[in-house]
Amino acid sequence: MSQILPIASSDNGFRQEPPTLRNQYEDDIVLQNILKRMLPHSVLSDIEPDLVQFGDRVITDIAEMGDNVEDPHNHPQLKQYDAWCRRVDQITTADGWKKLNDVAAQEGLVAIAYERKYKEYSRLYQFAKLYLYSPSSAMYSCPLSMTDGAARVLELLGTKEMMDKYYSRLISRDPSVFWTSGQWMTERPGGSDVGNSETVAKLIDEETNTWSISGFKWFSSATTADMTMLLARSIHPKDGTVKQGSKGLSLYIAEMRQSSGHLNGVRVHRLKNKYGTRGLPTAELELIGMKGQMLGNAGRGVPSIASILNITRIYACLGVVCGLRRSLVLAKDFALKRQAFNRTLDKTPLHITTLAKLELIFRAGAQIVFYCIELLGCTENTGTTSDQYKKSFAILRFLTPIAKSFVCKIGVDAISESMEALGGQGYMEDVGIARQLRDAQVNTIWEGTTNVLAMDTLRVIRETKGQCIDTFQQMINDKLSTSLSHYPQSLDIVQAVQLAMDNIKSFVQSMKSQSDMETNARILTFALGRVLAGTLLTEQAAWGVKTGGDGATEDVLVARHWCLSREFTQPLIAVTATKVEEEVKIVFGSSAKI
């Protein structure tokens, strides 16, 4: 006789045990092993207690701050006028947003990089903390990225007065002193194409280098920041002329408010209604005589922001990688607890295959972003005339667009798959993956979309006359040689990476015109990203085998699965001009031409 099961109600019946988060440093063997490989033992021993305590904070009080920011009732609000019809343009943000600012200062999330206590390793320490912080911070990492970029460009180009007034605040650990910086580049005529800027700057006091800046900025992320870096077209002080295109743009630094507390020639047109990053105030701004100072030389605005872009693009990569890591942790823990058809998901082969693919993408992205961070630290702590600086700078310039386009694109797709791994619960807002997905998506767009970055990769190839590919290959070969000496059994993996690199060179050599290169830029950029990931995963595996540390077995399997896949070693197939002519008809109709 069958047993009658109790009827479920809201108060009784089955309850699914939810996935849980543990200390985000202690629970992350991938991060730990990357730092063990890249940092001297003395440095890691010194910083690890801080990483452990921070790994706990990001799932307790910092997570609560982020949740407060994400509450729809606390999203940024704009009050343009007071009761007497006076323009006030007051933006209110969540209490959690203000607390996250204080945490960022106290924990040194910008300061660590510039205190340089650990010299070239300071960046690895800083970004390890940002990696832990970002998934819980409701995108406070965005103003931090721009603050970091502003500090770096001031360090390179700022006057003593600017260093004393601004730089010291941007790198402070004191919340009452600490300032954040915005970054206003995008205008209505173009985002990445800044050369069409309609914002102009007129010199009003040569002695104090004070300019009056007027125009309209289409996106101003972190509008509540204390200051900003912005591009504007300089009016020649003597003849009143301006130079069109990007060569007419200069870089300016300006405070958001005057000493009186009133806005500095800024009118907030409206707040942006965005898909993600909802707690982060982003606005359209009209500038009417905003007072600022030129930073660097006139007409050198675009080259001057290159150091900012290197940093902010790395932040974008990191944001996707740590967002994927947080999502994947929930999916993996859920698989251990969720039962379907009389077995838990971790015993279901198809589910395991899906999670393994996500794990590969996460580990590949983590290796790429931390390698870029390692290079960044090197360029900031070696003399600009040294061979090490020149080599690191050249590789970093080539890798940042590759890393951002490749890591962000595959990473966002992987976060979406992580959500799906929890079924309907993954789609629920308060589980936490939805926020990671929305916020990660912006990183495929901000600081250059995938296609824009692919074109930037081509630009580096063109500017270096192809030398960057040779430098890239030499770096790959050096790492593979070291890996093979540490782990001779990796020969088949090493040969697969070398074959993939040969395929890339053959692909480039097959391009007959600049148009062919542009058409296939995305294919090339992603191929370079795959090879870079394969090389770094192999390096990590070989190091693990040599040192005999925890996780070495998994690292070897990851390298093998990544590098010995069919896609990895297949020849690259170019998109032909004929195909593009057909595609334009598919998209825009039979009469369309390109």
Side-chain angles (χ1 to χ4, degrees), residues 290-307:
M290 185 182 201
K291 302 301 185 293
Q293 293 179 297
M294 184 183 291
L295 183 57
N297 296 324
R300 296 288 296 170
V302 173
S304 295
I305 65 172
S307 56

Side-chain angles (χ1 to χ4, degrees), residues 41 110 132 172 198 315 335 340 390 392 484 518 529 536 566 589:
H41 178 71
V110 176
L132 298 172
S172 176
E198 298 175 319
Y315 271 82
K390 292 175 183 177
S392 297
L484 194 57
E518 291 181 6
L536 298 173
R566 192 165 66 91

Side-chain angles (χ1 to χ4, degrees), residues 398-436:
F398 189 45
L399 292 194
T400 46
I402 295 169
K404 183 186 176 302
S405 59
F406 180 66
V407 171
C408 291
K409 195 65 176 179
I410 64 172
V412 168
D413 290 345
I415 296 174
S416 178
E417 188 77 61
S418 298
M419 174 188 282
E420 191 176 335
L422 276 76
Q425 280 300 100
Y427 195 62
M428 297 299 103
E429 189 67 42
D430 46 3
V431 169
I433 298 179
R435 186 168 108 196
Q436 301 299 334

Side-chain angles (χ1 to χ4, degrees), residues 256-332:
M256 191 68 179
R257 294 186 178 274
Q258 304 170 28
S259 57
S260 64
H262 294 100
L263 287 167
N264 176 21
V266 177
R267 297 180 73 182
V268 183
H269 184 60
R270 64 169 176 166
L271 291 178
K272 295 288 195 179
N273 184 15
K274 299 166 293 180
Y275 166 63
T277 68
R278 293 175 178 173
L280 166 70
T282 305
E284 297 171 15
L285 301 179
E286 183 178 4
L287 311 182
I288 307 172
M290 185 182 201
K291 302 301 185 293
Q293 293 179 297
M294 184 183 291
L295 183 57
N297 296 324
R300 296 288 296 170
V302 173
S304 295
I305 65 172
S307 56
I308 299 178
L309 287 176
N310 272 347
I311 290 171
T312 52
R313 285 176 174 177
I314 291 173
Y315 271 82
C317 288
L318 189 86
V320 172
V321 169
C322 61
L324 172 56
R325 197 265 164 184
R326 179 68 60 88
S327 303
L328 186 54
V329 164
L330 293 171
K332 288 161 67 174

